[in-house]
Amino acid sequence: MTVTDWLLALLCLLCTAVLAGMVAPRWRLPVGIGLLGAAALFLLPSSLLGQLIGEAWLGRLEAWAGLTPLPLAQWVHLLLFAVLGLLLWGRHRYLRGPAGAMLLALLALGTEAAQFLSRGREPHWDDAGYNLLGAALGVMLASVLQRLRQGRQSDTER
């Protein structure tokens, strides 16, 4: 491994520790594992990902994505950042608003920028757009769920 590889690994571990530390203790391990998995999807060379996931699974996922207007890579960007937006926005009051929007935007753009340092990956700024769109969808879903929960609480108080 090169110095750059070590720095990327350290950055991923640091971001995972910080973000996983923001959730309830019972969710820290699953969120941490999910974040490390997401980092692997975004930073490991595509050929290695194919070997890790398995060609059969990759073929099934590609076939599913072929039924939609987006290729599999864009679905990965959208879904991972939608989950991240949902978790961060939905679970932390202090991240609802400008601070949360800035954090999600920084993560969306930073993930793509980090690919400049990763061997076997090429950053594409349209992927950063899909990251941002996924984060926005996660925020919207978190907001809807929050309002539904508040509506139920007010109904039970009556």
Side-chain angles (χ1 to χ4, degrees), residues 127-145:
D127 290 345
Y130 284 105
N131 294 350
L132 289 167
L133 179 60
L137 291 172
V139 166
M140 287 190 298
L141 181 58
S143 298
V144 167
L145 293 173

mmCIF file of all heavy atoms in Angstrom, residues 127-145:
data_model
loop_
_atom_site.group_PDB
_atom_site.id
_atom_site.type_symbol
_atom_site.label_atom_id
_atom_site.label_comp_id
_atom_site.label_asym_id
_atom_site.label_seq_id
_atom_site.Cartn_x
_atom_site.Cartn_y
_atom_site.Cartn_z
ATOM 1 N N ASP A 127 -21.369 12.128 -10.877
ATOM 2 C CA ASP A 127 -21.598 11.241 -9.730
ATOM 3 C C ASP A 127 -21.807 12.061 -8.459
ATOM 4 O O ASP A 127 -22.623 11.697 -7.604
ATOM 5 C CB ASP A 127 -20.418 10.289 -9.531
ATOM 6 C CG ASP A 127 -20.321 9.232 -10.618
ATOM 7 O OD1 ASP A 127 -21.316 9.053 -11.361
ATOM 8 O OD2 ASP A 127 -19.264 8.598 -10.724
ATOM 9 N N ALA A 128 -21.073 13.165 -8.322
ATOM 10 C CA ALA A 128 -21.275 14.044 -7.163
ATOM 11 C C ALA A 128 -22.695 14.603 -7.179
ATOM 12 O O ALA A 128 -23.313 14.762 -6.119
ATOM 13 C CB ALA A 128 -20.244 15.173 -7.170
ATOM 14 N N GLY A 129 -23.203 14.869 -8.367
ATOM 15 C CA GLY A 129 -24.595 15.325 -8.486
ATOM 16 C C GLY A 129 -25.570 14.272 -8.005
ATOM 17 O O GLY A 129 -26.556 14.579 -7.322
ATOM 18 N N TYR A 130 -25.318 13.003 -8.357
ATOM 19 C CA TYR A 130 -26.170 11.913 -7.862
ATOM 20 C C TYR A 130 -26.033 11.750 -6.349
ATOM 21 O O TYR A 130 -27.005 11.431 -5.659
ATOM 22 C CB TYR A 130 -25.860 10.605 -8.581
ATOM 23 C CG TYR A 130 -26.431 10.559 -9.976
ATOM 24 C CD1 TYR A 130 -25.620 10.719 -11.079
ATOM 25 C CD2 TYR A 130 -27.795 10.371 -10.182
ATOM 26 C CE1 TYR A 130 -26.142 10.703 -12.364
ATOM 27 C CE2 TYR A 130 -28.324 10.351 -11.449
ATOM 28 C CZ TYR A 130 -27.501 10.512 -12.544
ATOM 29 O OH TYR A 130 -28.025 10.501 -13.801
ATOM 30 N N ASN A 131 -24.831 11.970 -5.821
ATOM 31 C CA ASN A 131 -24.649 11.947 -4.367
ATOM 32 C C ASN A 131 -25.521 13.020 -3.709
ATOM 33 O O ASN A 131 -26.210 12.750 -2.716
ATOM 34 C CB ASN A 131 -23.185 12.197 -3.990
ATOM 35 C CG ASN A 131 -22.252 11.102 -4.435
ATOM 36 O OD1 ASN A 131 -22.655 10.035 -4.868
ATOM 37 N ND2 ASN A 131 -20.962 11.380 -4.370
ATOM 38 N N LEU A 132 -25.458 14.234 -4.261
ATOM 39 C CA LEU A 132 -26.248 15.337 -3.708
ATOM 40 C C LEU A 132 -27.745 15.067 -3.830
ATOM 41 O O LEU A 132 -28.514 15.328 -2.893
ATOM 42 C CB LEU A 132 -25.888 16.640 -4.418
ATOM 43 C CG LEU A 132 -24.511 17.218 -4.102
ATOM 44 C CD1 LEU A 132 -24.158 18.325 -5.091
ATOM 45 C CD2 LEU A 132 -24.461 17.730 -2.678
ATOM 46 N N LEU A 133 -28.161 14.535 -4.977
ATOM 47 C CA LEU A 133 -29.574 14.212 -5.167
ATOM 48 C C LEU A 133 -30.025 13.146 -4.175
ATOM 49 O O LEU A 133 -31.099 13.247 -3.574
ATOM 50 C CB LEU A 133 -29.823 13.756 -6.605
ATOM 51 C CG LEU A 133 -31.254 13.364 -6.957
ATOM 52 C CD1 LEU A 133 -32.199 14.538 -6.753
ATOM 53 C CD2 LEU A 133 -31.316 12.866 -8.398
ATOM 54 N N GLY A 134 -29.207 12.115 -3.990
ATOM 55 C CA GLY A 134 -29.546 11.073 -3.011
ATOM 56 C C GLY A 134 -29.648 11.631 -1.608
ATOM 57 O O GLY A 134 -30.584 11.308 -0.869
ATOM 58 N N ALA A 135 -28.711 12.501 -1.222
ATOM 59 C CA ALA A 135 -28.762 13.122 0.104
ATOM 60 C C ALA A 135 -30.038 13.946 0.253
ATOM 61 O O ALA A 135 -30.695 13.892 1.302
ATOM 62 C CB ALA A 135 -27.525 13.986 0.329
ATOM 63 N N ALA A 136 -30.408 14.687 -0.797
ATOM 64 C CA ALA A 136 -31.637 15.498 -0.745
ATOM 65 C C ALA A 136 -32.869 14.607 -0.601
ATOM 66 O O ALA A 136 -33.796 14.927 0.164
ATOM 67 C CB ALA A 136 -31.743 16.362 -1.991
ATOM 68 N N LEU A 137 -32.892 13.479 -1.303
ATOM 69 C CA LEU A 137 -34.019 12.549 -1.163
ATOM 70 C C LEU A 137 -34.096 11.979 0.252
ATOM 71 O O LEU A 137 -35.188 11.839 0.818
ATOM 72 C CB LEU A 137 -33.898 11.419 -2.194
ATOM 73 C CG LEU A 137 -34.098 11.820 -3.651
ATOM 74 C CD1 LEU A 137 -33.762 10.656 -4.578
ATOM 75 C CD2 LEU A 137 -35.518 12.306 -3.888
ATOM 76 N N GLY A 138 -32.941 11.661 0.832
ATOM 77 C CA GLY A 138 -32.913 11.166 2.209
ATOM 78 C C GLY A 138 -33.402 12.212 3.189
ATOM 79 O O GLY A 138 -34.147 11.895 4.130
ATOM 80 N N VAL A 139 -33.025 13.466 2.985
ATOM 81 C CA VAL A 139 -33.481 14.563 3.845
ATOM 82 C C VAL A 139 -34.997 14.725 3.727
ATOM 83 O O VAL A 139 -35.700 14.891 4.734
ATOM 84 C CB VAL A 139 -32.744 15.869 3.486
ATOM 85 C CG1 VAL A 139 -33.416 17.079 4.095
ATOM 86 C CG2 VAL A 139 -31.289 15.784 3.936
ATOM 87 N N MET A 140 -35.501 14.674 2.495
ATOM 88 C CA MET A 140 -36.950 14.804 2.304
ATOM 89 C C MET A 140 -37.698 13.668 2.988
ATOM 90 O O MET A 140 -38.708 13.891 3.652
ATOM 91 C CB MET A 140 -37.293 14.867 0.812
ATOM 92 C CG MET A 140 -36.914 16.178 0.176
ATOM 93 S SD MET A 140 -37.538 16.425 -1.501
ATOM 94 C CE MET A 140 -36.750 15.102 -2.389
ATOM 95 N N LEU A 141 -37.195 12.444 2.847
ATOM 96 C CA LEU A 141 -37.838 11.306 3.495
ATOM 97 C C LEU A 141 -37.789 11.441 5.015
ATOM 98 O O LEU A 141 -38.781 11.188 5.703
ATOM 99 C CB LEU A 141 -37.170 10.002 3.050
ATOM 100 C CG LEU A 141 -37.761 8.716 3.624
ATOM 101 C CD1 LEU A 141 -39.242 8.589 3.278
ATOM 102 C CD2 LEU A 141 -36.988 7.514 3.112
ATOM 103 N N ALA A 142 -36.654 11.878 5.547
ATOM 104 C CA ALA A 142 -36.538 12.084 6.998
ATOM 105 C C ALA A 142 -37.524 13.147 7.467
ATOM 106 O O ALA A 142 -38.153 12.996 8.526
ATOM 107 C CB ALA A 142 -35.102 12.483 7.359
ATOM 108 N N SER A 143 -37.691 14.206 6.687
ATOM 109 C CA SER A 143 -38.628 15.273 7.057
ATOM 110 C C SER A 143 -40.065 14.766 7.058
ATOM 111 O O SER A 143 -40.837 15.081 7.964
ATOM 112 C CB SER A 143 -38.487 16.455 6.099
ATOM 113 O OG SER A 143 -37.192 17.006 6.182
ATOM 114 N N VAL A 144 -40.431 13.994 6.049
ATOM 115 C CA VAL A 144 -41.786 13.431 5.984
ATOM 116 C C VAL A 144 -42.020 12.499 7.166
ATOM 117 O O VAL A 144 -43.062 12.575 7.834
ATOM 118 C CB VAL A 144 -42.003 12.697 4.640
ATOM 119 C CG1 VAL A 144 -43.257 11.845 4.663
ATOM 120 C CG2 VAL A 144 -42.054 13.694 3.496
ATOM 121 N N LEU A 145 -41.065 11.626 7.455
ATOM 122 C CA LEU A 145 -41.219 10.702 8.579
ATOM 123 C C LEU A 145 -41.312 11.450 9.905
ATOM 124 O O LEU A 145 -42.092 11.068 10.789
ATOM 125 C CB LEU A 145 -40.065 9.695 8.607
ATOM 126 C CG LEU A 145 -40.015 8.714 7.450
ATOM 127 C CD1 LEU A 145 -38.736 7.884 7.501
ATOM 128 C CD2 LEU A 145 -41.240 7.819 7.454
#
